Amino acid sequence: AVFFALWAAWIAHGHRKATNTTRWPECRNFSKLGEIWEDKIGHRGLLISLVPPGLLVWSFIDPIEAGWFIGSASILCVAASGWISLGSWMVYLGSTYRVPVFGTLVVLAAVSSRFMDNHGVRQVAKDAEPPMAAISCDPDAAKFPVQEAFSAWLDKRFPNLANEQHRRPVFVVAAEGGGIRAAYWTATVVGRLQEHTQEAALKNGKLGDFNSHLFAISGVSGGSVGASVYSALIADGFWGADLTTAAQGVLGMDHLAANLGSLLFGDFIQRVSPVDFGRLIHKITDSDWPVVDRGTALEKSWEQAYGWWAVKNHGKDPKDRNRLSENFSRLWKDTKVEPPSLFLNGTLVDTGNRFVVSNLPLLEDEFTDVVDGMQTFRPAADWLSRDGTGAMEVRLSTAAHISARFTYFSPAGRLPDGRRVVDGGYFENSGTATALEVIRMMDQVIAARGLKDRIVPVLIKITNDPEYDSPDPKQRKKEQEPGMAFSEMRSPIEALLNTRAARGKFSEMSARNLQNSRTIVGEKYLEFALAEELVPLPLGWSISQKAAAEMREQMSRQWLAESESQKDSQKYKQTASNLDKLEKVQGWLNEATPAQPSN
């Protein structure tokens, strides 16, 4: 950019003609090229040609603001024009001086990949206090941490439980993955559940709202992002009519733009550098800018959106406390309303295990073959690290992103020990595997305390795949009659990909069977789903206004009342089903006596 600016000034002031090409023969070619620019394009054309490189630099320095200003679609055009402009210069230099510019860049990229990985998981110093007052974060302090946390949670929410005879539901949510579609839908469903039940509780003079009976959320990919935004808003006091609006505002921003801006500019340049120059700049300046890692750009985009919708629009300065950018464990401290426990599911690249970030310790006595993410964070060993020397953890946005690193838009995150973590959907995309283990531990506490007739675990499954259990016979026939073309080559690949979906289905059926086996009357497995008709529902990190409205309508009683003419449509039927599940959640709460406030 500096070179282009100096060259433009040089031509504009006539210095090009004064160049002594006899004394400086290497300037002859540049002077000739300048004449071409001046004769064929002119000064205005030259200045216009500087716009793409200028936007390139802006996207490198601040991909979030640049991305929001330009937009996802325009980012692609800017990147194409910018790199074509610079690529033309490289072609000219290579042909003029007989230098293999592109070959050198390819070799440099191959060499750099051996020494440099700029996708380290962002870490922060760990707070001295444990995440939850009810249980220590030290795994040695409790043999069964989740069970003890649940027992303490019961005592806190229902202090007179021993003397009561009412049935109380305890909700566990499993939020399926699926990019921004999953995030937006998860936040919409849990937000509407809280708003609807709180309105009914206030009308009846009770405190039996949804969040007061919500013990845990197990999220995968976009489901984890939606769950994290909901939990942050709950902790900040959004538990009325403004909850869903704020969550939808945060997730409705164009987060793909920041991701693309970093991917196509700063992160792209980093591929040919053997040194992580982003971290080098951070080491020298102690600043979070520029953002080179596209994963970090996505996290910061969520944080800035939260600062706009949940802080500024709530009458506060956007620079005030932002829970998405704070330590993960602080989510359960200084809260206006206590959020549920979070189990954010990722996948370890090296072993294929579940990698779960939670505010509760995950021990082998309670979880099967799970890596406790909070125990893996420690000061990085490389000399460019800005980590301290004490215990480390991650921000809430980073914890959510660990579960949502679906390559290639989000790169695999490098842990301090060198292992890599990716999207939880690689292992199991429904979130029910971890939710099922949590419910089984809850059952042990309920049985040990003799509360089997009074405490009822209710699993709420939030799915967002419009083709889930598709009613279309053509779709089912397609699944039953696979094609024969290239079957020998396709079969191993298809088996690997379909195993992921089958593993999720297996977990869902196991959870459904467990819940249906309970003898207590009432529906213990409630599923909220989406239908897709005229408006495509995206999987990326950007959502259109029409797609967002489509999802909002499928939890809207007003839309259902105004759409009698669409009774035969799949969307109408799914909306009616979702609202019926909403009333069933309310029905469970109507049977219970008031719970203690969750603050």
Side-chain angles (χ1 to χ4, degrees):
V2 174
F3 172 77
F4 275 112
L6 292 176
W7 186 50
W10 175 48
I11 292 179
H13 290 83
H15 291 180
R16 177 188 55 78
K17 295 181 180 180
T19 302
N20 188 342
T21 56
T22 303
R23 184 177 179 184
W24 305 102
E26 61 272 21
C27 294
R28 186 180 298 112
N29 293 316
F30 290 103
S31 299
K32 183 177 181 181
L33 189 60
E35 291 176 0
I36 295 175
W37 274 102
E38 185 174 314
D39 296 340
K40 302 296 184 182
I41 300 177
H43 294 166
R44 293 180 181 178
L46 173 62
L47 294 177
I48 292 174
S49 71
L50 297 178
V51 173
L55 292 175
L56 184 151
V57 174
W58 185 21
S59 296
F60 170 70
I61 296 175
D62 189 354
I64 295 92
E65 292 293 343
W68 286 358
F69 180 80
I70 300 172
S72 296
S74 299
I75 279 281
L76 294 174
C77 297
V78 170
S81 58
W83 287 117
I84 289 174
S85 175
L86 294 179
S88 299
W89 270 101
M90 293 179 185
V91 170
Y92 174 77
L93 293 175
S95 61
T96 301
Y97 295 101
R98 300 293 187 267
V99 177
V101 177
F102 288 101
T104 302
L105 291 176
V106 171
V107 173
L108 187 58
V111 174
S112 299
S113 66
R114 177 65 180 82
F115 301 100
M116 190 281 303
D117 181 354
N118 67 312
H119 304 308
V121 172
R122 287 197 303 163
Q123 298 187 126
V124 289
K126 190 174 185 178
D127 289 338
E129 299 178 9
M132 291 184 66
I135 186 154
S136 170
C137 191
D138 183 3
D140 297 330
K143 183 173 178 58
F144 302 105
V146 176
Q147 294 181 44
E148 294 182 26
F150 177 60
S151 183
W153 183 89
L154 286 176
D155 292 337
K156 183 177 180 180
R157 297 294 172 89
F158 316 121
N160 299 319
L161 195 59
N163 302 320
E164 296 177 358
Q165 299 301 319
H166 298 276
R167 290 196 310 176
R168 293 186 177 277
V170 177
F171 301 111
V172 175
V173 172
E176 184 180 71
I180 193 62
R181 182 179 70 195
Y184 198 91
W185 179 237
T186 297
T188 298
V189 170
V190 292
R192 285 286 294 123
L193 284 171
Q194 174 58 22
E195 289 179 4
H196 179 77
T197 56
Q198 190 214 8
E199 181 181 355
L202 293 176
K203 186 181 298 184
N204 298 327
K206 296 182 178 181
L207 294 171
D209 62 296
F210 173 71
N211 191 75
S212 295
H213 292 75
L214 176 60
F215 174 64
I217 300 179
S218 171
V220 177
S221 191
S224 293
V225 178
S228 298
V229 171
Y230 164 82
S231 298
L233 290 170
I234 282 288
D236 275 335
F238 289 77
W239 66 317
D242 55 353
L243 171 60
T244 306
T245 301
Q248 292 170 343
V250 173
L251 297 169
M253 301 290 285
D254 187 1
H255 299 296
L256 179 62
N259 182 266
L260 280 177
S262 181
L263 170 65
L264 297 175
F265 297 118
D267 216 342
F268 184 75
I269 297 173
Q270 183 66 75
R271 304 278 68 79
V272 296
S273 171
V275 177
D276 186 349
F277 54 81
R279 295 182 70 187
L280 180 61
I281 296 173
H282 298 166
K283 184 74 173 179
I284 297 172
T285 64
D286 195 28
S287 170
D288 288 334
W289 306 98
V291 179
V292 180
D293 175 24
R294 62 187 183 275
T296 299
L298 183 58
E299 294 170 16
K300 282 186 169 291
S301 181
W302 295 336
E303 293 169 7
Q304 289 191 212
Y306 190 88
W308 178 265
W309 283 94
V311 182
K312 182 177 180 180
N313 283 4
H314 210 47
K316 301 178 181 179
D317 190 324
K319 297 181 180 179
D320 287 348
R321 183 174 189 178
N322 185 321
R323 289 191 182 269
L324 278 188
S325 62
E326 287 185 349
N327 291 27
F328 176 75
S329 61
R330 290 181 192 170
L331 181 61
W332 291 266
K333 297 177 183 178
D334 304 323
T335 61
K336 296 182 179 180
V337 180
E338 187 175 275
S341 293
L342 293 180
F343 297 84
L344 309 180
N345 298 266
T347 305
L348 270 181
V349 174
D350 306 81
T351 60
N353 300 65
R354 278 178 294 164
F355 182 93
V356 181
V357 179
S358 175
N359 54 298
L360 300 176
L362 311 179
L363 303 185
E364 293 181 357
D365 291 336
E366 294 185 313
F367 291 87
T368 303
D369 202 27
V370 169
V371 176
D372 186 349
M374 294 296 285
Q375 301 302 318
T376 65
F377 304 128
R378 59 180 62 89
D382 59 283
W383 66 278
L384 281 176
S385 172
R386 294 186 298 159
D387 298 342
T389 56
M392 306 298 294
E393 62 171 303
V394 293
R395 297 170 175 83
L396 177 58
S397 63
T398 304
H401 187 217
I402 284 175
S403 176
R405 286 181 173 269
F406 193 85
T407 49
Y408 290 95
F409 283 104
S410 292
R414 178 173 49 82
L415 298 169
D417 59 8
R419 292 182 295 177
R420 288 172 172 78
V421 61
V422 292
D423 193 287
Y426 282 100
F427 181 88
E428 187 269 314
N429 197 47
S430 71
T432 52
T434 302
L436 181 59
E437 290 185 307
V438 171
I439 290 176
R440 284 173 173 162
M441 285 177 273
M442 292 166 54
D443 284 336
Q444 294 186 39
V445 174
I446 293 170
R449 296 182 57 169
L451 301 173
K452 292 188 68 174
D453 295 330
R454 281 178 286 170
I455 301 298
V456 185
V458 178
L459 178 60
I460 296 177
K461 173 68 171 58
I462 302 177
T463 183
N464 63 87
D465 186 356
E467 295 183 357
Y468 179 80
D469 285 341
S470 173
D472 186 356
K474 294 182 180 179
Q475 180 68 24
R476 292 199 298 269
K477 183 177 180 181
K478 180 181 178 181
E479 295 173 356
Q480 295 169 0
E481 299 179 4
M484 296 295 293
F486 303 103
S487 59
E488 290 189 26
M489 291 187 294
R490 288 170 38 223
S491 294
I493 300 174
E494 289 181 352
L496 288 173
L497 295 176
N498 291 332
T499 297
R500 164 182 168 270
R503 193 182 295 115
K505 192 69 174 178
F506 176 82
S507 300
E508 292 175 38
M509 294 305 298
S510 298
R512 188 190 297 269
N513 292 338
L514 173 65
Q515 293 299 97
N516 291 340
S517 67
R518 301 183 189 279
T519 56
I520 296 178
V521 177
E523 199 165 339
K524 281 82 66 178
Y525 185 95
L526 303 172
E527 185 171 73
F528 293 83
L530 276 175
E532 182 179 77
E533 291 187 352
L534 299 178
V535 181
L537 302 179
L539 283 172
W541 291 117
S542 179
I543 186 171
S544 68
Q545 294 183 2
K546 289 184 177 180
E550 187 84 354
M551 286 190 273
R552 291 195 299 269
E553 289 170 353
Q554 296 187 44
M555 284 295 291
S556 170
R557 196 170 301 282
Q558 180 181 352
W559 180 87
L560 195 69
E562 296 173 351
S563 306
E564 291 288 328
S565 61
Q566 303 182 35
K567 280 189 174 181
D568 294 332
S569 70
Q570 186 62 26
K571 177 183 175 181
Y572 186 95
K573 295 176 182 178
Q574 187 60 67
T575 303
S577 175
N578 291 336
L579 294 174
D580 177 62
K581 300 298 192 303
L582 178 66
E583 291 303 324
K584 288 181 178 178
V585 170
Q586 183 63 62
W588 278 110
L589 294 174
N590 290 341
E591 294 188 17
T593 56
Q596 291 295 312
S598 54
N599 57 342

